[in-house]
Amino acid sequence: MSAATLPSYSVGTGHLEASGVLSAVPLIPRNLGLAVLQAYRTVVSPLYGDVCKYYPSCSAYAVGAVQQHGLLKGSALTAARLARCHPWARGGVDDVPLHRHFRHELTRYGFVVPSTDEASVGSSPRKD
């Protein structure tokens, strides 16, 4: 997942500090899901080309959903998005609904790490 292939709100400047390793343990399932999505976006997605009617693409939507809401709810949001994607869909912009109290940071590769800045706790990475 490079910054060039994800919406700007799906990447950040966060990094994992040694002091935050224990607080990162609950984020392991989320980041494993993001690693699977990264592999899909690197290997399979380019084979399809630019065919999505929505922005961001379904795989980029999945990344944002898992980042914001975790693996289970993010997967459910992605399944709902895939159900909306059919030949008769109008398409258009369909951003991930933001988590109301997102308290993590995103790395430049799109992975989720614990926040190191107390001021950013509860803030959202997307500016509307």
Side-chain angles (χ1 to χ4, degrees), residues 43-122:
V43 176
V44 178
S45 192
L47 299 175
Y48 286 106
D50 190 17
V51 296
C52 196
K53 291 184 172 194
Y54 288 101
Y55 178 84
S57 68
C58 290
S59 61
Y61 183 94
V63 168
V66 171
Q67 287 173 333
Q68 286 288 312
H69 299 283
L71 189 57
L72 292 177
K73 186 174 179 184
S75 296
L77 288 168
T78 300
R81 165 68 179 271
L82 290 171
R84 291 191 303 268
C85 190
H86 51 77
W88 303 278
R90 292 185 65 182
V93 176
D94 183 23
D95 286 323
V96 175
L98 295 177
H99 190 279
R100 185 174 244 144
H101 302 291
F102 188 76
R103 62 178 191 265
H104 308 295
E105 292 183 17
L106 302 173
T107 67
R108 66 184 182 138
Y109 298 108
F111 293 103
V112 181
V113 294
S115 178
T116 57
D117 180 22
E118 292 301 317
S120 69
V121 172

